[in-house]
């Protein structure tokens, strides 16, 4: 276990390959040949191997070294990434052993996101499979530019050079087509270690390096010098006189005295000090975690990017990007998710899926959703501008995750490609007559009353009564009824989940314009998803939005069935009907909760009116 | 003989920077973070990194030591010195219920003792203080199920880890969103090896508990391990005798559960050299790891670190 003795630096690589190609065995063998398996681990391995393969077996099953979870051992598969650490006299390695099964693609991508090189295994008897193509595609997608193709189980094809060459040629074509620049191919027998730790006497026709030698000598210096960038993690203010911006440099280098720009805000300054616990530094480079002090007081906070003033990062709020969807529930375009890029978190939505990629064949297909482990090429809209880089140039400022706002699950990883032109070309037009002026001329507080509930719960009836009552009181109102809107602006939408999301998004935007016009707007729409009702609420100031939950049991709505829709849904003549074969997510904390069973619509409407008037009065007197 | 070491500085620098980045993300992403402090070498490195990450500010989070009441006396003395340094708050939690029940590794065995005095105690402390992020010194190279764990490892409201359904984790862009009652365990040393830890201790001049260095100590040979007799609570079994032997520890825990190794390595340089030539793994002396193969995974699911 001698420590490494050179400064080639750390190599982070992954191993991937189809199920049963012997990936875990190869890795175990690599550790064994590098002399990294301590005696007690070897003893445990021999014990486990006998348990797995029968008491008489004296074969070391190296796969058991890396499959550490109960379920993995029971099923004999790799579920999640296992990280292993080893070094030779020449170099240190971190290897992520990635699962091959399609359902664990997200775990493979987890491993690939921090790797510089991939070792892809294929079985000499099977050659390049759909899974090989998928793994290679994911590697390319996550930015891995160097691949070592290990053609395993050569002993089972009589160490035939022609078979090896054919597989290597086919694979090279695949990899180059995906933009992977460097491919090295070698024939191995993982179980016996041929060409793993040392050259194989069984395959004298192979004159290249062994796998270990290849890994030791691979140069992974980034192919392009980048400009200085540092996302701010934390503002360090231990006392009045010190103000430092802590972060990890993610590109280029910075020196004391350099002029910087804070993005996206655009304020300029100079670096006064580069602080570290080991004393001030003259400069800091890519990968260093430092604290920068500037020569002037400017407003910098977490999420900002400090960049080279001469070559700042581009700033935008609309992008084209690749998305790998890793959420259990499908991606719905136009739903709002949190996007985290570097240290910045903003609201974002996928505006359109240009196409999805069949990861096995790389064919481009039309898509309205993305399901778990699917890859799509999408346009993305953010609530705020962000400083970014193309993923090909900078993983930190080009790679982002999407987080579901209700479950907090990480649902996607994305790779930014470029900013959309319209991003820079659409500006907010300043107008002199604003909401306040318009509201004052009407003598009212603008408001959006959002009625949600099952079909037949009584939303439209109650909203209609509320509007009549407010109108009689001299208020300027407008009623947006979900059914009516579907005849016009939303004529193109159906009732699939993604269309429902877009339906509500448009209604909310229209309501927002009307509130801006100074009106009291009543929206009556089933609006079945919590997430979209939340997005609607966020368009408005806190006092301008009230969620009214018209709550009636499904049985009651079905009994009423004013439009005969429940009957049709039960008969199967209409699909995606809320409450029957489409979900309704009840509000958790509505502003007004109306229990409509056994109540007269007039009484319920009065409750709403009273709340509206109380709000207006409260505002007028408060 | 001597072994040449020149582990590339850039390698240690890279690991250090990664760990500092992780510390800062925890502080920025959570309401009430805490650093778990077990007094061992990994904790010593973790504390050093904690100070570095927020320099010149004082560490903006407390340390929590879960005291099983069976730690080596030298460990407790070391902990109290750290607390006396004054730049960081050290909280100590003992599972009093376990103390009342008289739970002891000598009478109840390693599994029960560890569960009650470590796992349950930790959960009590996290709930009591309302910590939503607990930073620990676990490394992926220590044990097979740890090799599978994320850096930010999600725990549900019952502190359970679901190894079959971990959050994906891309680049160093960590998802720090959780609901009330849920928490994460965070492992800044995930990518460090035992060797990295020692080389870093040497490079940075970090103070560690003297038990890591060889010295004549009173030990008993039991179940193939050398157990140090650290206080009068240790009961000899028939046929056992206490001998003075020159030993040191590769890993530190509760004294009746932690085997020593015979060694003459009484300096840092010698410890590193001995480790480089060693043919056994670090946790070999841990009685708790001698359970069936996947026990660590089960313990972790139940909330063990």
């Amino acid at each position: 276990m001698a420590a490494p003795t050179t400064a080639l630096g750390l190599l982070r690589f992954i191993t991937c390959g189809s199920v049963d190609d012997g990936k875990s065995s190869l890795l175990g063998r690599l550790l064994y040949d590098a002399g990294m398996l301590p005696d007690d681990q070897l003893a445990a391995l021999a014990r486990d191997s006998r348990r797995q393969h029968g008491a008489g077996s004296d074969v070391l099953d190296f796969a058991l070294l890396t499959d550490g979870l109960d379920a993995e051992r029971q099923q004999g598969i790799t579920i999640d990434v296992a990280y292993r650490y080893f070094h030779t006299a020449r170099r240190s390695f971190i290897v992520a052993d990635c699962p091959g099964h399609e359902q664990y693609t997200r775990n493979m991508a987890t491993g690939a996101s921090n790797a510089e090189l991939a070792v892809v295994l294929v079985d000499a008897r099977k050659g390049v499979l759909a899974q090989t193509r998928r793994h290679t595609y994911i590697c390319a997608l996550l930015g891995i530019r160097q691949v070592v193709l290990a053609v395993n189980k050569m002993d089972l094809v009589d160490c035939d050079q022609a078979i090896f060459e054919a597989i290597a040629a086919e694979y090279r074509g695949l990899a180059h087509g995906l933009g992977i620049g460097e491919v090295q191919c070698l024939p191995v027998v993982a179980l016996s270690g041929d060409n793993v730790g040392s050259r194989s006497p069984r395959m004298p026709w192979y004159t290249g390096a062994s796998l270990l030698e290849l890994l030791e000598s691979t140069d992974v210096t980034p192919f392009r010098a980048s400009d200085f960038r540092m996302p701010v993690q934390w503002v360090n203010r231990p006392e009045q006189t010190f103000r430092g911006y802590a972060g990890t440099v993610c590109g280029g280098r910075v020196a004391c005295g350099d002029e910087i720009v804070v993005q996206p805000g655009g304020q300029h300054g100079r670096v006064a000090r580069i602080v570290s616990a080991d004393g001030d530094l003259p400069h800091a480079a890519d990968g260093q975690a430092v604290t920068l002090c500037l020569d002037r007081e400017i407003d910098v906070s977490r999420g900002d990017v400090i960049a080279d003033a001469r070559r700042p990062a581009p700033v935008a709020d609309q992008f084209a990007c690749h998305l790998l969807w890793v959420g259990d529930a499908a991606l719905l375009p136009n739903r709002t998710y949190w996007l985290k890029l570097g240290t910045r978190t903003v609201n974002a939505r996928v505006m359109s899926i240009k196409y999805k990629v069949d990861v096995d064949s790389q064919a481009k297909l039309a898509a309205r959703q993305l399901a778990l482990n699917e890859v799509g090429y999408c346009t993305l809209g953010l609530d705020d501008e962000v400083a970014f880089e193309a993923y090909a140039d900078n993983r930190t400022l080009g790679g982002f995750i999407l987080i579901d706002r209700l479950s907090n699950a990480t649902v996607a990883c994305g790779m930014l490609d470029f900013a959309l032109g319209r991003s820079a070309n659409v500006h907010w037009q300043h107008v002199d007559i604003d909401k306040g002026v318009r509201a004052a001329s009407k003598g009212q507080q603008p408001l959006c009353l959002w009625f949600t509930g099952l079909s037949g719960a009584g939303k439209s009836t109650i909203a209609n009564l509320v509007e009549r009552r407010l109108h009689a009181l001299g208020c300027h109102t407008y009623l947006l009824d979900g059914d009516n809107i579907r005849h016009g602006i939303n004529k193109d939408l159906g009732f699939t989940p993604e269309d429902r999301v877009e339906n509500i998004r448009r209604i909310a935007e229209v309501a927002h314009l009307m509130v801006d016009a100074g009106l009291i707007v009543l929206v009556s729409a089933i609006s079945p998803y919590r997430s979209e009702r939340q997005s609607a609420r966020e368009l408005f100031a806190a006092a301008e939005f009230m969620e009214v939950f018209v709550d009636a049991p499904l049985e009651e709505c079905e009994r009423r069935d004013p439009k005969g829709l429940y009957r049709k849904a039960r008969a199967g003549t209409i699909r995606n009907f809320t409450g029957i074969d489409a979900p309704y997510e009840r509000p958790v904390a509505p502003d007004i909760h109306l229990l409509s069973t056994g109540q007269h619509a007039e009484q319920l409407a009065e409750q709403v009116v009273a709340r509206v008037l109380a709000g207006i009065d409260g505002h007028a007197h408060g | 003989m001597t072994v040449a070491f020149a582990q590339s500085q850039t390698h240690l620098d890279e690991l250090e920077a990664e760990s500092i980045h992780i510390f800062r993300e925890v502080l920025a992403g959570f309401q009430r973070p805490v650093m778990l402090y077990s007094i061992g070498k990994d904790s010593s490195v973790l504390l050093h990194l904690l100070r570095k990450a927020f320099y010149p500010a004082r560490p903006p989070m407390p340390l929590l030591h879960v005291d099983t009441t069976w730690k080596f006396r030298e460990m407790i003395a070391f902990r109290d010195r750290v607390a006396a340094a004054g730049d960081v708050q050290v909280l100590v939690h003992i599972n009093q219920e376990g103390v009342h029940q008289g739970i002891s590794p000598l009478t109840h065995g390693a599994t029960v003792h560890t569960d009650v005095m470590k796992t349950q105690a930790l959960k009590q402390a996290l709930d009591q203080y309302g910590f939503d992020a607990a930073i620990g010194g676990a490394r992926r190279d220590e044990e097979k199920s740890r090799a599978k764990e994320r850096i930010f490892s999600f725990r549900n409201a019952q502190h359970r880890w679901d190894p079959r359904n971990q959050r994906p984790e891309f680049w160093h862009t960590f998802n720090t969103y959780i609901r009330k009652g849920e928490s994460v365990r965070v492992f800044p040393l995930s990518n460090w090896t035992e060797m990295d830890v020692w080389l870093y201790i040497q490079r940075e001049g970090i103070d560690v508990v003297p038990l890591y260095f060889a010295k004549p100590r009173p030990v008993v040979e039991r179940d193939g391990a050398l157990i140090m007799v650290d206080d009068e609570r240790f009961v000899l079994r028939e046929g056992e005798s206490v001998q003075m032997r020159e030993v040191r520890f590769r890993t530190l825990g509760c004294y009746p559960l932690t085997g020593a190794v015979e060694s003459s390595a009484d300096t840092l340089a010698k410890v590193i050299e001995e480790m480089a030539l060693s043919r056994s793994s670090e946790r070999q002396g841990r009685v708790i790891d001698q359970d069936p193969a996947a026990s660590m995974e089960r313990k972790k699911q139940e909330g063990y670190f």
Side-chain angles (χ1 to χ4, degrees), chain A residues 334-336 347 349 383 405 448-452 501 503-513 515 523 525 527 529-542 544-547 591:
Chain A
N334 291 307
R335 172 165 287 184
T336 303
N347 281 339
R349 54 192 184 84
D383 276 4
R405 300 196 308 165
C448 175
L449 282 168
W450 189 284
F451 293 80
T452 174
V501 169
N503 179 48
I504 297 306
R505 188 188 74 83
R506 290 185 199 170
I507 293 175
E509 288 287 357
V510 171
H512 182 235
L513 289 174
V515 164
V523 173
S527 40
Y529 302 140
R530 225 170 267 150
S531 180
E532 277 56 55
R533 294 195 302 264
Q534 176 63 23
S535 295
R537 180 188 291 275
E538 286 171 3
L539 287 173
F540 299 87
E544 284 177 350
F545 186 92
M546 279 190 197
E547 184 178 51
D591 300 288

Side-chain angles (χ1 to χ4, degrees), chain A residues 56-91:
Chain A
S57 167
D58 58 352
V59 176
L60 287 181
D61 182 350
F62 288 110
L64 297 175
L65 272 178
T66 47
D67 288 344
L69 300 177
D70 275 349
E72 293 179 323
R73 288 164 163 249
Q74 283 156 15
Q75 300 169 47
I77 56 165
T78 306
I79 290 172
D80 215 328
V81 192
Y83 294 89
R84 302 291 306 214
Y85 302 81
F86 69 103
H87 57 249
T88 64
R90 297 173 65 189
R91 192 176 217 170

Side-chain angles (χ1 to χ4, degrees), chain B residues 131-202:
Chain B
F131 293 125
D132 54 357
I135 296 170
R139 307 186 324 266
R140 286 173 175 158
D141 78 327
E142 280 179 89
E143 195 276 339
K144 258 193 291 241
S145 62
R146 282 189 170 162
K148 298 255 164 189
E149 192 153 18
R150 303 284 187 254
I151 292 175
F152 281 63
S153 187
F154 179 80
R155 295 291 190 279
N156 69 11
Q158 288 72 46
H159 302 283
R160 285 188 77 89
W161 176 57
D162 181 0
R164 301 209 52 183
N165 195 16
Q166 302 193 79
R167 274 184 181 176
E169 192 170 79
F170 304 103
W171 311 290
H172 288 98
T173 306
F174 301 107
N175 176 354
T176 54
Y177 286 89
I178 53 168
R179 294 188 190 139
K180 201 169 167 49
E182 295 170 343
S183 62
V184 296
R185 307 277 172 92
V186 185
F187 305 108
L189 303 182
S190 285
N191 288 324
W192 296 54
T193 64
E194 189 186 10
M195 178 65 90
D196 295 328
V197 165
W198 280 115
L199 291 172
Y200 189 73
I201 286 169
Q202 184 181 42

Side-chain angles (χ1 to χ4, degrees), chain A residues 203-488:
Chain A
M203 292 176 268
W205 46 264
Y206 174 74
T207 54
S210 70
L211 178 59
L212 200 52
E213 288 166 340
L214 273 180
L215 295 172
E216 281 179 323
S217 58
T218 295
D219 182 12
V220 287
T221 326
F223 49 89
R224 111 179 230 294
S226 64
D227 304 316
F228 168 67
R229 308 279 182 259
M230 189 190 92
V232 175
Q233 282 184 280
W234 180 63
V235 180
N236 191 350
R237 300 212 61 184
E239 25 122 8
Q240 286 303 314
T241 56
F242 185 90
R243 190 189 184 96
Y245 306 110
T248 304
V249 180
C250 72
R253 63 199 296 281
V254 68
C256 267
D258 282 0
E259 195 185 352
I260 55 89
V261 58
V262 179
Q263 299 188 278
Q267 315 92 313
H268 281 241
R270 282 186 186 282
V271 176
R273 291 175 63 194
I274 302 173
V275 176
S276 90
D278 300 311
D280 281 18
L281 308 171
H283 46 74
D286 190 15
Q288 279 181 270
V290 292
T291 301
L292 301 184
C293 297
L294 303 180
D295 66 339
R296 65 201 78 170
E297 289 262 334
I298 47 179
D299 182 26
V300 184
S301 49
R302 174 176 166 84
D304 288 340
V305 174
I306 299 180
D308 182 339
R310 292 161 307 171
R311 285 186 294 276
V315 169
D317 61 6
Q318 292 190 16
F319 303 94
C321 66
H322 277 96
L323 268 194
L324 167 62
W325 193 254
V326 299
D328 293 322
L331 158 74
L332 297 177
N334 291 307
R335 172 165 287 184
T336 303
Y337 299 93
W338 286 312
L339 175 145
K340 188 175 180 190
L341 174 73
T343 56
R344 184 90 189 276
T345 304
V346 294
N347 281 339
R349 54 192 184 84
V350 171
M351 299 184 295
S352 66
I353 303 173
K354 296 291 180 198
Y355 55 82
K356 81 176 176 192
V357 180
D358 176 334
V359 180
D360 289 354
S361 67
Q362 277 102 59
K364 295 176 182 174
L365 310 167
R368 307 194 55 174
Q369 293 189 350
L370 287 182
L372 176 63
N373 293 325
E374 288 190 328
V375 175
Y377 193 67
C378 307
T379 57
L380 194 69
L382 279 53
D383 276 4
D384 279 308
E385 293 197 311
V386 296
F388 77 101
E389 296 279 5
Y391 185 75
D393 297 336
N394 188 318
R395 284 193 192 185
T396 305
L397 286 180
F400 62 88
I401 59 172
L402 293 181
I403 299 167
D404 185 276
R405 300 196 308 165
L406 295 178
S407 70
N408 295 321
T410 303
V411 290
C413 72
M415 283 58 65
L416 294 177
D417 204 354
F418 55 84
L420 301 180
R422 60 188 157 194
S423 180
N425 302 333
V426 181
H427 299 284
W428 280 101
Q429 188 61 43
H430 176 76
V431 289
D432 291 328
I433 308 294
D434 66 7
K435 180 167 62 184
V437 175
R438 289 187 285 258
S441 75
K442 295 182 179 60
Q444 65 182 25
Q445 284 297 317
L447 177 68
C448 175
L449 282 168
W450 189 284
F451 293 80
T452 174
L454 292 170
S455 177
K459 298 182 299 298
S460 296
T461 311
I462 297 166
N464 188 40
L465 289 166
V466 171
E467 184 178 35
R468 277 172 49 184
R469 184 85 175 77
L470 289 173
H471 184 78
L473 290 166
C475 295
H476 299 259
T477 59
Y478 193 87
L479 174 58
L480 286 167
D481 188 277
D483 285 349
N484 298 349
I485 288 180
R486 281 185 174 275
H487 291 297

